[in-house]
Amino acid sequence: MIEKSNFFSVSEEIFKENGLSEFANLEIFEKFYSLTEIMLRVNEEMNLTAITDPEAVILKHYADCLLIAKETDGYLPSGSRVVDIGCGAGFPCFPLAIARPDLEILGIDSTAKRIRYVNETASALGLTNLRAESLRAEDGSKKGNP
């Protein structure tokens, strides 16, 4: 794992290069660092992602996911409800929940162990705006989910 101060420096550089400066702050980077630690640890036991280099994680998991998160672009207005169908290891759920606490995010996936990982990790990170459910996408509307 990359040293914390290097992780923050690399994150800041990548976020600025990708027009995400509004999300380049200590609180967000702390949560991304913790998420990276958890994800890489769990990934050793359960195949969550093939991307394990911390710099690649920052670029390909965090920055890429946040490209739709800027309120000024109008993709996700303040207070939006978001459903991530096939959330897998929590992308874009985690980056959106971390950077946009105003969003209410539901991740759905048919794999119960991934859903357990998303819920446990969201709890460990203190993300109260993210929950995940194990169900098939076509069954989601039958349950009355957003």
Side-chain angles (χ1 to χ4, degrees), residues 15 21 75 112:
F15 278 38
S21 293
Y75 296 119

Side-chain angles (χ1 to χ4, degrees), residues 15 23 25-36 62 66 69 90-103 105 121-122 125-130:
F15 278 38
F23 303 118
N25 68 57
L26 184 60
E27 182 180 349
I28 288 173
F29 292 161
E30 284 281 354
K31 288 198 185 217
F32 280 141
Y33 185 79
S34 295
L35 173 58
T36 305
Y62 305 153
L66 291 180
F91 298 104
C93 289
F94 284 126
L96 291 176
I98 289 169
R100 294 281 307 277
D102 63 295
L103 300 176
I105 302 167
T121 302
L125 296 173
L127 300 174
T128 59
N129 62 332
L130 169 59

Side-chain angles (χ1 to χ4, degrees), residues 11-21 23 29 32 66:
S11 295
E12 184 171 26
E13 182 179 317
I14 288 172
F15 278 38
K16 285 183 179 178
E17 287 174 359
N18 287 279
L20 299 168
S21 293
F23 303 118
F29 292 161
F32 280 141
L66 291 180

